[in-house]
Amino acid sequence: QVGLVESGGGLVQPGGSLRLSCAASGSIFSVYHMGWYRQAPGLQRELVATILTTGSTTIADSVKGRFTISRDNAKNTVFLQMNSLKPEDTTVYYCIRVSYFRNNFTPVGSWGQGTQVTVSS
């Protein structure tokens, strides 16, 4: 079981940037595929980005060209760099371990508290 703590959210103006961090503890982080999801009130959770143990990444079409995902295995941390933020990016962001099979990602384990991102002028 891996413990995850998200941080880095906040209030930012449209066009601004934020870098979210997800610190993992309690297990061997480097052997896990990881993902960032977001969920707006009343909507389903959306997969935003994933990074495999190989370093290969996927980015959702809705944020492609603006968001990037990376990981630092030495620090047991996965990052989500968010640039050119839009008001519609406003929601809570979660990181979680994911399984990967036949190009499908499935969250594994328990969801954390997430970190709130608010894009507003």
Side-chain angles (χ1 to χ4, degrees):
Q1 184 74 12
V2 57
L4 300 167
V5 178
E6 303 96 338
S7 63
L11 173 64
V12 63
Q13 292 187 341
S17 298
L18 284 174
R19 189 193 197 200
L20 305 185
S21 298
C22 174
S25 63
S27 192
I28 306 173
F29 173 76
S30 62
V31 304
Y32 293 137
H33 306 314
M34 298 296 296
W36 282 98
Y37 287 75
R38 65 185 183 183
Q39 185 173 25
L43 298 179
Q44 284 192 327
R45 220 161 238 149
E46 175 190 8
L47 179 58
V48 175
T50 64
I51 184 164
L52 303 183
T53 57
T54 59
S56 177
T57 64
T58 62
I59 303 293
D61 288 342
S62 58
V63 302
K64 195 165 290 184
R66 301 188 297 120
F67 290 13
T68 58
I69 186 172
S70 61
R71 66 192 298 162
D72 184 338
N73 290 335
K75 296 182 178 180
N76 281 9
T77 303
V78 61
F79 304 98
L80 185 68
Q81 178 67 44
M82 305 187 296
N83 300 327
S84 302
L85 283 161
K86 304 176 181 180
E88 51 262 43
D89 295 319
T90 296
T91 188
V92 181
Y93 287 73
Y94 304 87
C95 75
I96 196 165
R97 177 189 169 193
V98 295
S99 65
Y100 176 58
F101 182 68
R102 293 183 178 177
N103 292 323
N104 288 313
F105 297 95
T106 303
V108 177
S110 301
W111 296 97
Q113 295 297 310
T115 185
Q116 174 71 45
V117 171
T118 302
V119 185
S120 175
S121 55

